[in-house]
Amino acid sequence: MSPPSKDIDSTFQGAGATSGLEIWCIENHRLVPIPKSSHGKFYSGSAYVILNTVLQKSGSRQHNIHYWLGNEAKEEDLALASDKALELDDALGLCAVQYREVQGQETEKFLSYFKPCIIPVEGIYSSETGNVNGDTYHISLFTCKGDHAIHVKEVPFSRSSLNHFDVFILDTASKIYLFSGCNSSVQERAKALEVVQYINETKHNGNCEVATIEDGKFVGDADAGEFWSLFGGYAPIPRDSPSAFPEKDFTHSIKLFRITLQGQLCELGAGPLTREMLEADKCYMLDCDSEIFVWMGRSSLITERRTSISATEGFLRNEGRSVGARVTLLTEGLETTAFRSHFVNWPHKVDAKLYEEGRGKVAAIFKQHGYDVKELPEDECEPVINCRGMIKVWRVNGDQLSLLPIPEQTKLYTGDCYIVQYTYSSIGKDENLFYAWFGRASLMEDRVEAICHMNALADSTRGHPVLARVLEDKEPEQLFLIFQTLIVLKGGQSSRYTTFIAEKGLPDETYHEGKTALFRVQGKSPNNMQAIQVDQVSSCLNSSYCYILQTGPSVFTWIGNLSSTRDHDLLDRMLEYINPAWQHVSVREGCEPDEFWEALGGRSEYPKEKETAKAIEDPHLFTLILTDGDFKVKEIYNFTQGDLTTEDVFILDCHDEIYVWIGFNSSIASKGEALTLGQKYLEKDVLVKGLSLDTPIYVVTEGHEPQFFTRFFSWDPSKANLHGNSFERKLAILKGGIQPSEAPTRNSWKRHSRGATPDSSRSSSVSSNGHGRSGSPLPNFRSSYDWRFSSPTPIARKLFSEFSPANGIPE
């Protein structure tokens, strides 16, 4: 990386040191800072540089630089804004992504900083007065476009500006009118109401009356009469009147150019693009028609970067695309999802070192405040829900469910599937959370049945339970906290599993006391510990863990050199839990007796380096767009609770787990469908980060969100209990005539029910913390309760169509 330039504008001193927005404007060929009171107010005759800094969960700072170009700004100001944005990136250590923003064509990321909208003002910014000509009030007509990030554009105050496809706001001195085209969406109308409220508060001190006008409804509406009288009287709007935001038809051709030192563009060969085509000491331009990317290698010089930007601007002018095209400037290592998606098999790299450096910086901050810390402690998952509730576990056995006795419900077999129902108290009422747990060696047919059983069990309960699908080795931390102690054993008990291994002639690895067994002990506390049976070979050891080796009458405990005192405590507790009668021999790594290695088939290499903590990913919110069987997603930046519109379905991607949120008025009819959408999202790998197909999927419904979902938002429960569509809810809040009330119960989730849980299936006794405890290491399936179902639903079969019948079983 080239060192930061010494000739950096003094205005940028200290920039990016704190989270939030910092804005500068070009005035008289120099940068002037914009006070926070004027953030979001942009003049069409000026150019601006905007820096947004976010402190990520990993402890590092993320910087995004935008330079905004007003439609009436001077050419020299536009060029200077671009140059200053590059200079700011240099001052930050070349660790920012830069975006070129053109008035009226802003990116949704940029608009998300200024909710609900920005409304550019005519004129030129002046630091002396903060405005031009006093911002004289005049009647204005605006059109609004967008379901989440909304573009607001002023159009001529004329009937010819209206159409059937957009939403319009007419701002007069005494009243604000919202006109909704008959072909506009409910979500757009709702977002436009936020703009109405913004105009009312900023221009009228909140004292202006608001009226809503529906396209085509005129008779008997006094507000509609007033509205049309302002246009000289009512007249029909032509059906083919154009939208103020015409859709552009792009060919979607993609071309990669290398930019020479002289600013010439050299098109590279045709064919699929790969990461190997980009060299660290060069700059490139990726032309995607409506979007242009400039990629700058880490070893490129600041002069080369300036030349690349000039060459790109010249290319846009020559192609006639300088107004509509968006330009994103990327430094090597900071590639956005949109950029990486144009390359084949972009390598997935998780920089654990960077995460550890971030943790170190946070530790340094603690030291500055007087705390004596050498390093941050390991991240420990604090319970988000009450973990002292009641747990019930069923094993799936074809079309039957067998309820496990309490002493056996914390022992799961890797060849089986299970349904876990957890009932806990939350805000004065009982809530239910269902997990479908799939062992790695379980069969596809049992997985399909598990989803069907879980849906039916959930339908039989009161309320709106949360459903989750999890796979062995990918369990969310919350599931471990619910179980408190969990043992995962090899083999299986289901009839399908036993029949399969018999037909294939495979050895039966199902655990019992007489066999040699090796268990890895893991966890974070006595209320969160697991024993996982692994292959009894020395290559399965790891210096970061402790192990239990059971060899018939003998029991060894093996303590890895990199394990902690906490791990040793959990090892003792797990031994006591599995079998308090065991007399074990404790050995430390490097001091093992021959009998130990003989039981594992001899010595072999195993991991001996400390396992580093995974980098914590910030969550991403996506809305799902379902049209004619097509499945698309759109990211919602800087999301809030208000972005969860009732007509839509959303994916909250937290990397280690995803949530499918179903709006009350969405088209999704069952939670089974929602699970399918979650699986499709994983397959698409939208963020191009190598998201595992086994990532846990939760399904939550609007108005019944659990705390482990709402913690990612600044959540107001009253906003979650309004009813009506998005527009009706926003209008009720705006006019203050309707208070939040409980949404009516909808029974569409019952459509795929295939039975009801008998009362006799409920557990009648649990220990004081809601969990049974047993000293026996062997599960004992003595439940007299079986539940039979018909064949799986088509939705459940679709969910696992990609799995092989013997998924996870070695041949």
Side-chain angles (χ1 to χ4, degrees):
M1 183 193 304
S2 57
S5 172
K6 296 180 181 179
D7 301 324
I8 293 177
D9 197 311
S10 59
T11 311
F12 290 141
Q13 186 173 2
T18 58
S19 300
L21 282 174
E22 296 172 79
I23 304 178
W24 300 266
C25 183
I26 304 295
E27 183 185 22
N28 297 326
H29 306 292
R30 63 184 181 90
L31 276 181
V32 294
I34 301 295
K36 289 189 179 296
S37 59
S38 296
H39 283 190
K41 189 174 186 179
F42 293 90
Y43 288 85
S44 59
S46 298
Y48 296 78
V49 176
I50 300 96
L51 171 64
N52 185 56
T53 303
V54 176
L55 181 63
Q56 297 180 299
K57 289 186 176 181
S58 63
S60 60
R61 287 190 174 90
Q62 181 188 70
H63 302 291
N64 285 300
I65 299 171
H66 304 255
Y67 53 101
W68 186 89
L69 313 176
N71 289 338
E72 300 169 2
K74 299 176 182 178
E75 285 291 334
E76 55 266 32
D77 288 347
L78 305 182
L80 185 56
S82 169
D83 195 53
K84 288 298 181 181
L86 189 64
E87 194 175 303
L88 175 57
D89 185 24
D90 192 27
L92 294 169
L94 303 179
C95 62
V97 177
Q98 301 173 54
Y99 300 87
R100 175 183 184 265
E101 308 284 355
V102 177
Q103 180 180 340
Q105 304 290 331
E106 295 89 353
T107 61
E108 294 199 357
K109 179 186 283 288
F110 178 78
L111 292 175
S112 70
Y113 305 146
F114 307 101
K115 291 184 177 181
C117 66
I118 63 171
I119 303 177
V121 180
E122 290 186 3
I124 301 173
Y125 175 80
S126 170
S127 56
E128 295 181 1
T129 61
N131 57 64
V132 174
N133 299 328
D135 267 351
T136 304
Y137 177 82
H138 65 281
I139 296 178
S140 305
L141 181 64
F142 303 96
T143 184
C144 305
K145 189 74 171 180
D147 295 346
H148 294 280
I150 190 162
H151 286 86
V152 179
K153 179 180 180 181
E154 185 169 2
V155 293
F157 176 33
S158 168
R159 184 189 289 107
S160 60
S161 295
L162 303 176
N163 62 64
H164 299 294
F165 302 93
D166 295 326
V167 182
F168 294 84
I169 296 172
L170 181 61
D171 176 26
T172 71
S174 58
K175 186 177 287 189
I176 303 173
Y177 299 87
L178 178 72
F179 175 84
S180 302
C182 58
N183 293 321
S184 62
S185 70
V186 172
Q187 296 96 317
E188 281 184 316
R189 299 178 189 188
K191 293 302 290 186
L193 277 176
E194 294 182 17
V195 179
V196 168
Q197 185 172 6
Y198 170 76
I199 292 174
N200 192 11
E201 291 174 353
T202 56
K203 283 193 171 186
H204 303 276
N205 296 319
N207 298 320
C208 198
E209 189 178 347
V210 175
T212 57
I213 313 297
E214 290 190 47
D215 185 9
K217 294 186 179 181
F218 176 72
V219 178
D221 190 332
D223 289 329
E226 290 179 3
F227 175 79
W228 288 111
S229 67
L230 294 169
F231 291 92
Y234 174 77
I237 301 173
R239 289 187 177 181
D240 59 349
S241 53
S243 169
F245 299 90
E247 296 293 331
K248 297 183 179 180
D249 184 23
F250 293 109
T251 59
H252 300 289
S253 63
I254 298 174
K255 297 177 182 178
L256 181 65
F257 298 86
R258 180 171 59 83
I259 306 175
T260 68
L261 295 174
Q262 294 75 33
Q264 295 178 331
L265 300 178
C266 300
E267 184 173 349
L268 300 182
L273 302 180
T274 63
R275 171 64 180 85
E276 290 72 22
M277 301 173 72
L278 307 175
E279 299 180 35
D281 60 344
K282 295 180 174 61
C283 296
Y284 299 82
M285 187 188 80
L286 182 66
D287 179 11
C288 305
D289 290 320
S290 61
E291 190 166 17
I292 303 290
F293 297 93
V294 178
W295 186 92
M296 301 172 287
R298 283 278 173 183
S299 301
S300 60
L301 302 175
I302 192 71
T303 53
E304 295 178 78
R305 295 169 179 239
R306 286 197 176 99
T307 300
S308 298
I309 296 172
S310 299
T312 302
E313 292 285 356
F315 172 81
L316 291 176
R317 284 193 299 270
N318 295 336
E319 293 286 319
R321 288 192 269 157
S322 59
V323 176
R326 292 172 176 171
V327 179
T328 303
L329 312 175
L330 306 162
T331 298
E332 179 183 357
L334 299 172
E335 296 85 359
T336 62
T337 298
F339 179 82
R340 288 183 280 119
S341 67
H342 296 297
F343 289 76
V344 177
N345 298 324
W346 186 277
H348 307 300
K349 184 177 70 173
V350 178
D351 195 343
K353 181 181 178 182
L354 185 63
Y355 172 60
E356 291 299 328
E357 287 176 357
R359 288 166 56 87
K361 290 177 182 177
V362 175
I365 293 173
F366 275 104
K367 277 188 173 182
Q368 290 177 1
H369 287 80
Y371 296 96
D372 185 19
V373 292
K374 293 183 179 179
E375 60 179 22
L376 285 179
E378 288 188 42
D379 299 313
E380 185 159 340
C381 180
E382 292 293 330
V384 182
I385 61 173
N386 173 13
C387 289
R388 301 181 69 84
M390 182 174 69
I391 187 173
K392 292 190 286 186
V393 183
W394 291 266
R395 187 181 73 254
V396 175
N397 193 12
D399 62 353
Q400 302 176 10
L401 277 185
S402 300
L403 180 65
L404 302 188
I406 290 173
E408 312 303 326
Q409 62 188 7
T410 58
K411 301 182 180 73
L412 308 180
Y413 285 86
T414 190
D416 293 336
C417 296
Y418 297 84
I419 306 300
V420 179
Q421 178 183 2
Y422 182 65
T423 304
Y424 62 98
S425 177
S426 175
I427 317 179
K429 62 179 180 179
D430 284 347
E431 300 286 356
N432 282 291
L433 170 58
F434 285 89
Y435 288 95
W437 185 90
F438 303 154
R440 281 291 173 190
S442 63
L443 302 178
M444 182 270 286
E445 290 90 343
D446 280 344
R447 297 183 180 193
V448 171
E449 290 283 1
I451 294 297
C452 297
H453 288 314
M454 180 173 65
N455 284 334
L457 279 167
D459 288 346
S460 69
T461 61
R462 294 181 178 180
H464 295 254
V466 174
L467 306 188
R469 184 225 68 180
V470 301
L471 273 77
E472 179 190 348
D473 296 333
K474 287 290 185 178
E475 295 90 350
E477 199 74 34
Q478 183 168 270
L479 183 62
F480 289 148
L481 288 167
I482 288 171
F483 271 103
Q484 296 192 5
T485 301
L486 180 64
I487 301 174
V488 178
L489 304 166
K490 280 182 170 290
Q493 299 279 335
S494 71
S495 58
R496 279 200 180 105
Y497 176 83
T498 55
T499 300
F500 176 80
I501 61 172
E503 290 177 348
K504 294 289 184 180
L506 299 172
D508 186 0
E509 296 184 315
T510 303
Y511 172 82
H512 63 78
E513 269 191 67
K515 287 187 175 182
T516 299
L518 180 65
F519 294 90
R520 182 181 72 245
V521 178
Q522 61 188 39
K524 296 185 177 180
S525 73
N527 293 326
N528 176 353
M529 61 180 186
Q530 305 86 44
I532 313 296
Q533 187 179 357
V534 297
D535 293 339
Q536 53 268 18
V537 292
S538 54
S539 60
C540 285
L541 297 174
N542 188 310
S543 298
S544 296
Y545 293 98
C546 296
Y547 291 79
I548 299 172
L549 176 60
Q550 177 188 350
T551 61
S554 301
V555 176
F556 294 94
T557 58
W558 186 85
I559 300 174
N561 287 336
L562 300 178
S563 60
S564 65
T565 54
R566 183 190 67 183
D567 297 326
H568 307 161
D569 178 56
L570 294 182
L571 177 64
D572 294 338
R573 290 174 180 270
M574 186 59 76
L575 274 170
E576 178 72 16
Y577 179 79
I578 294 178
N579 192 334
W582 273 351
Q583 298 296 317
H584 68 279
V585 177
S586 178
V587 298
R588 283 194 168 271
E589 182 179 1
C591 302
E592 301 87 351
D594 292 340
E595 296 87 346
F596 178 85
W597 293 117
E598 288 172 4
L600 295 179
R603 294 173 182 262
S604 63
E605 292 298 318
Y606 57 85
K608 296 182 180 179
E609 296 182 357
K610 183 173 178 61
E611 290 192 345
T612 57
K614 292 189 301 181
I616 302 175
E617 299 278 347
D618 283 40
H620 296 260
L621 184 68
F622 297 88
T623 181
L624 304 189
I625 304 169
L626 305 170
T627 53
D628 300 327
D630 192 18
F631 175 88
K632 295 180 180 179
V633 298
K634 184 172 71 172
E635 183 165 6
I636 310 301
Y637 300 99
N638 296 304
F639 60 84
T640 65
Q641 179 185 355
D643 288 309
L644 299 173
T645 45
T646 184
E647 294 81 14
D648 296 318
V649 177
F650 292 84
I651 297 280
L652 182 65
D653 183 347
C654 302
H655 192 73
D656 287 334
E657 56 196 20
I658 69 169
Y659 297 82
V660 183
W661 183 91
I662 310 169
F664 185 79
N665 292 305
S666 73
S667 60
I668 300 303
S670 77
K671 291 185 179 181
E673 287 180 75
L675 279 172
T676 305
L677 291 172
Q679 187 67 37
K680 287 184 177 180
Y681 172 84
L682 295 178
E683 292 169 3
K684 280 182 173 288
D685 191 18
V686 174
L687 293 173
V688 199
K689 286 191 174 181
L691 193 62
S692 171
L693 294 178
D694 300 339
T695 301
I697 303 172
Y698 286 91
V699 178
V700 301
T701 55
E702 181 186 3
H704 304 276
E705 297 86 353
Q707 287 176 292
F708 52 89
F709 174 82
T710 60
R711 63 191 167 125
F712 297 105
F713 301 80
S714 296
W715 198 262
D716 180 355
S718 66
K719 292 181 180 179
N721 293 323
L722 291 169
H723 54 93
N725 62 36
S726 297
F727 177 75
E728 292 166 343
R729 296 179 185 189
K730 291 280 175 66
L731 185 61
I733 294 173
L734 180 63
K735 294 194 172 183
I738 301 178
Q739 296 299 318
S741 60
E742 188 67 30
T745 302
R746 182 173 67 168
N747 295 320
S748 62
W749 309 122
K750 311 294 185 184
R751 292 185 191 179
H752 296 278
S753 172
R754 299 188 301 170
T757 306
D759 292 338
S760 60
S761 70
R762 296 184 180 275
S763 297
S764 57
S765 62
V766 291
S767 62
S768 61
N769 63 354
H771 296 77
R773 292 288 182 262
S774 170
S776 170
L778 295 174
N780 181 13
F781 296 95
R782 296 176 297 184
S783 172
S784 60
Y785 173 68
D786 286 333
W787 190 8
R788 299 178 181 271
F789 285 117
S790 59
S791 60
T793 63
I795 288 175
R797 288 200 178 279
K798 283 172 59 181
L799 180 60
F800 302 107
S801 59
E802 75 279 7
F803 290 112
S804 64
N807 187 23
I809 301 287
E811 293 292 345

